[in-house]
Amino acid sequence: MGERDEDQEHGAEPARPPLTEARAREMTAGLREAMDDVRRSVAVLAARVRDAHAARVWVPLGHSSWESYCRAEFHIGRAQAYRLLDVARALAAIHGAVAAGTETSRTRDTGPSTAAALDYGLSQRALIAVSSRVDVVAELITRRLATLAHSGLQALDTATVRAVVRQAVRDVRTAPPPLPADPLADPAVVALRAVVDDLAANRHAIGELMLEVAPAYLSDTEAADILALLCDQIGEPLDHGLAARRYAMSGDCRALHGAVL
């Protein structure tokens, strides 16, 4: 049996012709289009989740709560059901901030079609990450858009608004933890707080890594099955990895309590 026959017998793929630059650009454009479609679908989903929850859609269908409704109708667990609400509330707050900053009637329509039209290019993961600090994001967006509008130096077209929103979300996601309102005078306590803050920042980075492997739409139980091997390979206890993942999703340090802090 020849070498070629052995390769085929063991399932080796035949050699592919070199990829041309034109074909590579075509494939990249296709990927970009698919990613944009996913982000637009997040906007539509968020609008519909918000409307369904506000209407208490579970009541006429005989379910006892939003959680039981999501479990029965969509087969998703409690954590994912409430993450959908986090996404919806975050996007609603961002829409409100854009409306306040631009003062255009177009941004006041809250239907799913408008949510898609006002796609800011934000992933579900990004919206979940700022859901606990969405008031800060909204204030930042309103202030920056109002400053641009009053300066007259740049038109508030769709591309500009989108860029302002994305930058505000990015800034809040990467901002260091806020200092306590009343800084403690004891140097030892201040130094210990700095150590805890550094630890939280490192945990957030590890949580981002965990989310790359086990995306936010997975429950803790589903994520544990996927992350067990990764945590073992990097010497990280699984419960610490899951806590860091929850922290990266929520931005709330309390997710680390009992595991890391």
Side-chain angles (χ1 to χ4, degrees):
M1 183 182 295
E3 184 177 343
R4 182 177 178 181
D5 293 335
E6 287 185 23
D7 285 345
Q8 291 177 345
E9 182 181 347
H10 289 87
E13 291 187 6
R16 296 182 178 182
L19 191 65
T20 65
E21 180 181 349
R23 177 57 180 154
R25 290 191 182 282
E26 181 183 348
M27 293 175 70
T28 301
L31 282 171
R32 185 176 293 112
E33 182 180 354
M35 290 177 183
D36 288 343
D37 286 344
V38 169
R39 293 189 183 104
R40 278 190 291 270
S41 70
V42 168
V44 173
L45 175 63
R48 290 179 177 169
V49 165
R50 183 183 68 241
D51 292 345
H53 189 266
R56 296 175 62 84
V57 68
W58 60 89
V59 174
L61 295 180
H63 301 294
S64 60
S65 64
W66 170 256
E67 176 185 342
S68 62
Y69 164 72
C70 288
R71 182 181 297 111
E73 299 292 337
F74 311 116
H75 309 292
I76 61 177
R78 180 180 186 277
Q80 189 175 352
Y82 285 99
R83 279 199 292 270
L84 287 174
L85 287 179
D86 286 341
V87 169
R89 288 165 180 158
L91 199 57
I94 289 171
H95 280 328
V98 169
T102 59
E103 297 181 353
T104 60
S105 60
R106 175 173 60 87
T107 60
R108 295 195 180 98
D109 184 2
T110 57
S113 61
T114 299
L118 290 177
D119 168 40
Y120 305 116
L122 298 172
S123 66
Q124 185 177 13
R125 176 178 164 188
L127 290 165
I128 289 172
V130 299
S131 61
S132 63
R133 294 167 286 173
V134 74
D135 54 334
V136 179
V137 175
E139 190 277 332
L140 204 56
I141 291 169
T142 300
R143 176 158 46 84
R144 290 177 179 177
L145 288 175
T147 299
L148 283 174
H150 293 151
S151 71
L153 297 176
Q154 188 172 4
L156 291 183
D157 55 13
T158 301
T160 301
V161 172
R162 191 174 189 265
V164 169
V165 169
R166 287 170 61 84
Q167 187 60 51
V169 170
R170 188 178 300 113
D171 289 347
V172 172
R173 288 185 73 183
T174 58
L179 294 174
D182 298 312
L184 299 170
D186 187 338
V189 176
V190 172
L192 181 58
R193 186 181 296 279
V195 171
V196 172
D197 288 344
D198 287 343
L199 178 59
N202 290 334
R203 288 289 102 187
H204 193 280
I206 291 175
E208 291 280 347
L209 170 64
M210 298 296 167
L211 282 172
E212 292 290 340
V213 179
Y217 60 80
L218 296 176
S219 67
D220 261 15
T221 302
E222 294 167 325
D225 293 337
I226 296 172
L227 294 175
L229 179 59
L230 172 63
C231 288
D232 182 62
Q233 289 176 336
I234 65 176
E236 177 83 0
L238 179 58
D239 60 332
H240 288 197
L242 290 171
R245 178 176 175 270
R246 289 192 293 270
Y247 177 40
M249 287 192 293
S250 68
D252 189 341
C253 284
R254 288 175 296 182
L256 302 175
H257 292 176
V260 181
L261 298 178

